[in-house]
C-alpha cells in the first residue's frame, strides 16, 4: 500500500493554505516526503489518521501543515484550544513547537508548548495562554493532566487531537493519561496518531477512539545505508578500555555515547572528563534548563561528546553527528535504529559502534534479525580477552518481525535565509514563477 514509491508530490499541488505555502517557500521546502504526500490529503479532508512512521521521515510537517490549513479554514473559536498535540517528551514538544513557529509564520495561528520540569512562572504563563485561547497546544501528558486537574484547561472545544510517537507514550506509561484526555474531547473531533510501531495497546486505543482512520505506513525501521555499523563483543569490565581505544583512533567530535542507565552516564562522564574529553551528560535527572543548555552547547559545537541515555535517541534534530557509540546494547531493536539514526543524517556518512557484553548477546541477535544482516565484529584491542561463548546466544524468542525495504529519508535542514518581509501576493507570484520555470 503506502510502502510503494509514489510519484513526486510538490507542496504547491496540495490544497494547503497560501500562508502555509509561503512559509514553506521561505524554508525551501518544495517536495513532499512520502509520509507528507500520503497524510496531508487525508488530514485536509478531516479524516482520522494513523501514520506509522519514525522521526526523520518528515512526520511533523505531515500533520502540522494540513492542521494549520484546516484551522485557517475553519472559523475557530478565538478563546478555545482548537488543536492539542501530545508528545511523550519535552524535547520532542520543543521540537514540534519550533517547527510550528516556522510553518505558522504567516498564518496568525498561535501555539504554546506545555511541558513539565519548569519553574512556577512558566506554569502560570501556560495557564494564562489557555485562558486567552492558544489555538494549538503542544503538551507532554503529565503536565497537561496537572493543568486539567487544576481546571486550567478546557478541552470540550478541542476538535483536533494529534498523538505523536504514541508507542513511546505507551512505553513511558502514559496510556491511561492519554485515554483520560481523549475522553474530554467533544464527540465531533479529528484524531491523528503517529507511531513508529503499532503495539496491540495502541491498536486497541485507535479502535476505541478513532473513526474509520486512514492508515499510512512508511517502513524505515532500518538504518540508513550510509551508517558504517560495527560491534565489539566484549566483557562488561573491558568497555572503558574499548571506549578509550575508539577515541584514540577517532578523536571524538560530534559524537554521542549512549548508555542504558543514567548512573552509568554519570560515571562515564566523570571518567571521560578526567581523561580530558570535552563532554557533557544528558539524562532525566537534569532539569529542563540544564537539558536545554546541554543540547544547545552540543548543537553549537561547544561540547564534542554527549553522553546520554535514550532521552536523546528519538526526536532530536541534529544532522551532523560523526559517530554514535552504544556503550550498552539497547534492549529494544527499534531503539538501536533510533540511536544510530542520530548519525548519517541528511545524506552524510556516519559510524555506529556497539559494545555488546556476554549478557546482551541475545539483544544483538534481535537487532540483527530486525536488520536482516549480521553486523561486522571488530577485533578487540590488544590485551583484552574475548568473553566466553555461551552455549546458546539467544535465550528468549522475541522480535523477528520482517520489515520492508529500508528507505533512507535524510532531509536537508530548512534554510531560513529568504526574505520574510515580502508581501504575500508577491511571494505567491514568485512561487508560481519559480514552479513554471522549473527551478529547484
Ligand atoms: P521529522 O521527521 O518531522 O523530525 O523531520 C525531519 C527533518 O526533515 C526536519 O529537519 C525537517 O525540518 C525536515 N523536513 C521535513 N519535511 C521536509 C521536506 N519536505 N523537505 C525538506 N526537509 C524536510
Amino acid at each position: 500500500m503506502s510502502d510503494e514509491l509514489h510519484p513526486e508530490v510538490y507542496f504547491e499541488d496540495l490544497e494547503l493554505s497560501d500562508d502555509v505555502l509561503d512559509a514553506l517557500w521561505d524554508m525551501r521546502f518544495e517536495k513532499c516526503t512520502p509520509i507528507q504526500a500520503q497524510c496531508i490529503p487525508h488530514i485536509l479532508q478531516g479524516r482520522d489518521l494513523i501514520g506509522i512512521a519514525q522521526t526523520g521521515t518528515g512526520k511533523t510537517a505531515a500533520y502540522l501543515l494540513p492542521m494549520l490549513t484546516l484551522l485557517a479554514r475553519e472559523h475557530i473559536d478565538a478563546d478555545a484550544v482548537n488543536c492539542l498535540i501530545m508528545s511523550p517528551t519535552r524535547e520532542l514538544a520543543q521540537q514540534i513547537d519550533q517547527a510550528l513557529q516556522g510553518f505558522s509564520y504567516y498564518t496568525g495561528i498561535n501555539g504554546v508548548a506545555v511541558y513539565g520540569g519548569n519553574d512556577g512562572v512558566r506554569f502560570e504563563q501556560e495557564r494564562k495562554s489557555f485562558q486567552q485561547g492558544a489555538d494549538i497546544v503542544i503538551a507532554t501528558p503529565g503536565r497537561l493532566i496537572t493543568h486539567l486537574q487544576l481546571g486550567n484547561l478546557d478541552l470540550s472545544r478541542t476538535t483536533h487531537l494529534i498523538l505523536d510517537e504514541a508507542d513511546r507514550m505507551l512505553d513511558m506509561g502514559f496510556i491511561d493519561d492519554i485515554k483520560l484526555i481523549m475522553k474530554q474531547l467533544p464527540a465531533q473531533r479529528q484524531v491523528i496518531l503517529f507511531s513508529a510501531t503499532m503495539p496491540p495497546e495502541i491498536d486497541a486505543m485507535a479502535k476505541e477512539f478513532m473513526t474509520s482512520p486512514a492508515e499510512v505506513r512508511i517502513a524505515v525501521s532500518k538504518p540508513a545505508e550510509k551508517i558504517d555499523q560495527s560491534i565489539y563483543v566484549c566483557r562488561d569490565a573491558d568497555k572503558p578500555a574499548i571506549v578509550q581505544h575508539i577515541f584514540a583512533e577517532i578523536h571524538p567530535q560530534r559524537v554521542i555515547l549512549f548508555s542504558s542507565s543514567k548512573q552509568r552516564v554519570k560515571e562515564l562522564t566523570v571518567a571521560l572528563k578526567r581523561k580530558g574529553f570535552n563532554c557533557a551528560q544528558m539524562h532525566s535527572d537534569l532539569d529542563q534548563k540544564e537539558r536545554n543548555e546541554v543540547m544547545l552547547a552540543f548543537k553549537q559545537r561547544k561540547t564534542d561528546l554527549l553522553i546520554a541515555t535514550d532521552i536523546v535517541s528519538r526526536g532530536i534534530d541534529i544532522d551532523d553527528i560523526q559517530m554514535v557509540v552504544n556503550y550498552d546494547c539497547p534492549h529494544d531493536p527499534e531503539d538501536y535504529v533510533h540511536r544510530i539514526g542520530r548519525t548519517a543524517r541528511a545524506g552524510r556518512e556516519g559510524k555506529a559502534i556497539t559494545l555488546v557484553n556476554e549478557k546482551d548477546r541475545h539483544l544483538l541477535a534481535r537487532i540483527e534479525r530486525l536488520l536482516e544482516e549480521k553486523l561486522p565484529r571488530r577485533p578487540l584491542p590488544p590485551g583484552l580477552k574475548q568473553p566466553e561463548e555461551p552455549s546458546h546466544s539467544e535465550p528468549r524468542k522475541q522480535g523477528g518481525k520482517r520489515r520492508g525495504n529500508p528507505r533512507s529519508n535524510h532531509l536537508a535542514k530548512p534554510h531560513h535565509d529568504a526574505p520574510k518581509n515580502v508581501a504575500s501576493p508577491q511571494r505567491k507570484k514568485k512561487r508560481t514563477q519559480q514552479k513554471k520555470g522549473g527551478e529547484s
Side-chain angles (χ1 to χ4, degrees):
M1 162 198 56
S2 25
D3 269 0
E4 289 160 21
L5 288 172
H6 59 88
E8 277 183 354
V9 179
Y10 288 79
F11 288 112
E12 291 271 353
D13 299 331
L14 302 171
E15 302 290 310
L16 294 167
S17 75
D18 251 359
D19 288 338
V20 167
L21 290 173
D22 285 345
L24 290 172
W25 189 80
D26 283 356
M27 295 164 89
R28 310 277 160 83
F29 277 34
E30 197 189 354
K31 290 177 201 162
C32 292
T33 66
I35 192 90
Q36 292 161 356
Q38 293 174 70
C39 289
I40 291 173
H42 290 305
I43 299 176
L44 285 175
Q45 281 170 14
R47 278 191 73 174
D48 284 0
L49 177 125
I50 298 174
I52 303 175
Q54 302 178 348
T55 299
T57 54
K59 68 181 168 58
T60 318
Y63 61 77
L64 284 181
L65 303 176
M67 194 48 59
L68 286 165
T69 301
L70 281 181
L71 293 179
R73 257 194 226 157
E74 294 165 4
H75 297 288
I76 50 176
D77 293 343
D79 60 342
V81 170
N82 300 287
C83 171
L84 174 64
I85 303 175
M86 301 300 305
S87 148
T89 60
R90 299 164 202 175
E91 284 71 24
L92 182 64
Q94 286 172 318
Q95 211 175 297
I96 299 167
D97 189 31
Q98 270 170 16
L100 178 66
Q101 281 175 30
F103 298 141
S104 66
Y105 193 89
Y106 298 108
T107 64
I109 292 170
N110 62 49
V112 62
V114 169
Y115 38 81
N118 292 292
D119 51 37
V121 177
R122 186 169 169 107
F123 191 84
E124 187 52 24
Q125 280 169 353
E126 291 170 2
R127 195 185 65 78
K128 278 204 184 120
S129 60
F130 298 145
Q131 278 178 351
Q132 287 158 5
D135 301 318
I136 301 180
V137 169
I138 305 155
T140 52
R143 184 66 154 216
L144 197 82
I145 294 283
T146 309
H147 279 295
L148 281 171
Q149 282 167 346
L150 291 171
N152 294 344
L153 180 64
D154 168 23
L155 296 180
S156 65
R157 287 181 291 162
T158 306
T159 44
H160 306 274
L161 174 72
I162 298 159
L163 302 173
D164 201 347
E165 296 196 355
D167 52 349
R168 196 98 206 269
M169 292 203 247
L170 173 75
D171 293 346
M172 293 172 77
F174 289 139
I175 192 97
D176 290 334
D177 288 347
I178 296 295
K179 287 183 182 170
L180 204 78
I181 290 163
M182 294 259 216
K183 286 183 182 145
Q184 309 226 0
L185 300 175
Q188 286 293 324
R189 79 282 168 110
Q190 180 181 32
V191 180
I192 296 161
L193 183 151
F194 277 89
S195 198
T197 56
M198 251 344 235
E201 294 91 333
I202 299 289
D203 199 36
M205 189 172 73
K207 289 203 171 80
E208 189 180 346
F209 292 100
M210 297 173 87
T211 315
S212 21
E215 196 177 309
V216 173
R217 192 182 285 266
I218 302 292
V220 282
S221 277
K222 291 190 179 184
E225 276 152 22
K226 286 198 161 182
I227 307 179
D228 167 19
Q229 304 172 64
S230 57
I231 305 291
Y232 279 106
V233 178
C234 61
R235 297 181 302 187
D236 204 62
D238 290 338
K239 285 182 176 179
I242 294 175
V243 167
Q244 241 183 294
H245 176 80
I246 297 170
F247 291 165
E249 269 183 0
I250 306 166
H251 181 73
Q253 252 179 346
R254 318 296 295 144
V255 168
I256 306 182
L257 192 147
F258 282 107
S259 173
S260 296
S261 86
K262 54 189 171 197
Q263 194 48 38
R264 262 161 103 104
V265 166
K266 290 176 191 174
E267 288 164 8
L268 275 164
T269 310
V270 172
L272 288 166
K273 267 194 180 152
R274 259 197 216 130
K275 297 217 179 302
F277 290 106
N278 172 18
C279 53
Q281 55 186 314
M282 180 75 171
H283 49 73
S284 58
D285 277 357
L286 302 187
D287 67 26
Q288 188 56 40
K289 195 167 157 280
E290 291 167 323
R291 288 189 205 187
N292 290 347
E293 282 166 4
V294 169
M295 287 315 292
L296 191 68
F298 189 60
K299 272 192 184 178
Q300 293 179 337
R301 296 166 176 265
K302 290 180 186 155
T303 316
D304 292 331
L305 170 62
L306 187 67
I307 305 164
T309 57
D310 276 315
I311 201 165
V312 276
S313 74
R314 294 193 196 198
I316 296 301
D317 191 18
I318 305 177
D319 283 341
D320 55 351
I321 301 296
Q322 173 201 26
M323 175 165 72
V324 166
V325 179
N326 291 312
Y327 190 79
D328 299 309
C329 187
H331 281 259
D332 179 350
E334 297 275 351
D335 280 342
Y336 174 82
V337 176
H338 280 295
R339 285 188 188 183
I340 74 164
R342 301 300 94 213
T343 183
R345 304 230 314 172
R348 294 185 179 85
E349 300 198 342
K351 236 183 212 324
I353 304 179
T354 303
L355 279 50
V356 181
N357 66 16
E358 309 85 318
K359 287 205 313 281
D360 290 346
R361 283 176 198 248
H362 68 286
L363 299 177
L364 175 62
R366 286 174 61 193
I367 291 167
E368 291 183 325
R369 238 188 351 241
L370 173 79
L371 303 181
E372 294 174 336
E373 67 172 289
K374 193 169 160 72
L375 298 173
R377 269 51 172 176
R378 287 176 163 243
L380 289 173
L384 299 187
K385 270 216 232 145
Q386 287 290 342
E388 307 228 322
E389 277 290 332
S391 48
H392 52 90
S393 63
E394 197 175 351
R396 283 179 286 153
K397 253 191 170 303
Q398 275 186 31
K401 277 181 272 173
R402 269 190 65 84
R403 304 274 163 176
N405 288 330
R407 184 175 305 163
S408 50
N409 193 351
H410 303 287
L411 299 160
K413 278 183 84 66
H415 304 274
H416 289 273
D417 52 358
K420 290 205 167 188
N421 53 355
V422 187
S424 181
Q426 276 173 283
R427 285 196 311 268
K428 191 176 176 194
K429 205 167 140 211
K430 270 195 185 176
R431 286 199 329 252
T432 317
Q433 280 169 351
Q434 188 187 41
K435 208 183 154 198
K436 281 191 183 142
E439 282 174 45
S440 62

